[in-house]
Amino acid sequence: NPAAIDNVIISPVHCSEPTGVQVDAFSAHTITASWQSRTNVQAYELYLATANEAPTASTVASFTSNTSTFTFENLNQATNYYIWVRSTCGTEASRWIGPLVVQTTLVPANLPFSDDFEAAQEYGIINDTINQWFIGQAVNHGGTKALYVSNDGGQTHAYTGSVPHPVTSHVFKDFAIPTGAVDLSLQFDWMCKGEDRYDVLKVWWVPVT
């Protein structure tokens, strides 16, 4: 196919961007990130967000580190975080590198456990782009709230069928199983509407690993 190149500019960079940015560890309330140190860098700025909206050159950093590692603390459990890092050299700064995407873990719930979704509860949710899990008031079986799939941001429990690709959305929660437990009982009320042979609700018990 035709191709073209125009207006090439090559100029020296006076503040080198961090390289090798990675997540070293994370838990329910902390994330530790690190990167490779660069010469002539005075400090590193970090930007932390819960939405994937990249910072600009004028964005105020969330944190500053004088070393090549940083631990974010007091975070919310089961939450997606987006992390960017840049170098600062006096009055200059490199471009932001990122995002690193991390979902903090859950604090395991003790048994016996019950939930009617009326009060705030912590769950992990990994959603596809079309049919997604929400906790809200669009449908319920007693009370005012339930956990349900929605294609309109949780406003209703409408569902999109015949999508062009397989859609899988997960909601999960960690539990501390008592030592010596042999059997566990799981009970829930449910409603399922969809296309026969294609739409499936699966419930899994799996190790946290």
Side-chain angles (χ1 to χ4, degrees), residues 55-115:
T56 66
S58 60
T59 298
V60 177
S62 306
F63 305 93
T64 300
S65 175
N66 293 320
T67 66
S68 58
T69 185
F70 187 83
T71 298
F72 302 90
E73 299 179 325
N74 301 316
L75 304 178
N76 295 323
Q77 61 175 315
T79 301
N80 282 329
Y81 285 97
Y82 301 85
I83 302 168
W84 289 264
V85 186
R86 72 177 177 183
S87 306
T88 60
C89 311
T91 59
E92 296 189 33
S94 72
R95 70 187 182 98
W96 291 101
I97 301 301
L100 296 175
V101 184
V102 187
Q103 185 177 78
T104 51
T105 59
L106 288 162
V107 175
N110 293 319
L111 300 183
F113 172 86
S114 64
D115 191 7

